[in-house]
Amino acid sequence: QVQLVESGGGLVQAGGSLRLSCAASGRTSGRTFSSYAMGWFRQAPGKEREFVAGISWTGTKTYYADSVKGRFTISRDNAKNTVYLQMNSLKPEDTAVYYCAAAGGTFYPAESHTYDYWGQGTQVTVSS
């Protein structure tokens, strides 16, 4: 089993920044964190969960939802078993619970069924 724990959420004013972290632990069938592609999703109250950003297991390919492109940056440090989401120029509509997820198979970053493991989420609230 792979455990994912998000941190870094909080309350910020519009235009501000936050950096989310997702720390991974555990392993499955000898696989380590560096062999999983990773993604960030978010879910606002009353809305469906939506894709935010994804990163390949090497970190060389990144993917973003149109709504966050140019404002958010996903990155990973395989030595620390951690994936990050740097969020700049935050807007009230970015308010949501943010989840990180790990994908061990074929990677379709925006497709939630791609992911095998999910964290518990961290709340991000952006005030206007």
Side-chain angles (χ1 to χ4, degrees), residues 5-126:
V5 179
E6 302 95 335
S7 61
L11 174 63
V12 64
Q13 289 189 329
S17 299
L18 283 174
R19 187 175 83 154
L20 305 184
S21 299
C22 173
S25 61
R27 55 196 294 166
T28 303
S29 301
R31 298 187 64 172
T32 59
F33 171 76
S34 61
S35 68
Y36 288 88
M38 300 295 294
W40 286 96
F41 285 73
R42 67 186 181 187
Q43 187 167 20
K47 295 188 176 181
E48 292 187 355
R49 184 169 55 190
E50 65 175 359
F51 169 73
V52 175
I55 189 166
S56 64
W57 64 274
T58 60
T60 56
K61 294 183 179 180
T62 57
Y63 311 85
Y64 296 95
D66 288 343
S67 59
V68 306
K69 206 170 290 184
R71 299 188 298 123
F72 292 9
T73 302
I74 188 171
S75 62
R76 65 189 298 160
D77 185 338
N78 287 341
K80 296 182 177 179
N81 290 352
T82 302
V83 64
Y84 303 98
L85 185 68
Q86 177 67 43
M87 305 186 296
N88 298 327
S89 302
L90 282 161
K91 305 175 181 180
E93 51 263 44
D94 294 317
T95 295
V97 177
Y98 283 70
Y99 300 90
C100 72
T106 304
F107 189 45
Y108 300 101
E111 302 295 329
S112 59
H113 67 81
T114 286
Y115 297 87
D116 304 297
Y117 303 100
W118 293 82
Q120 293 299 306
T122 185
Q123 177 70 47
V124 171
T125 303
V126 184

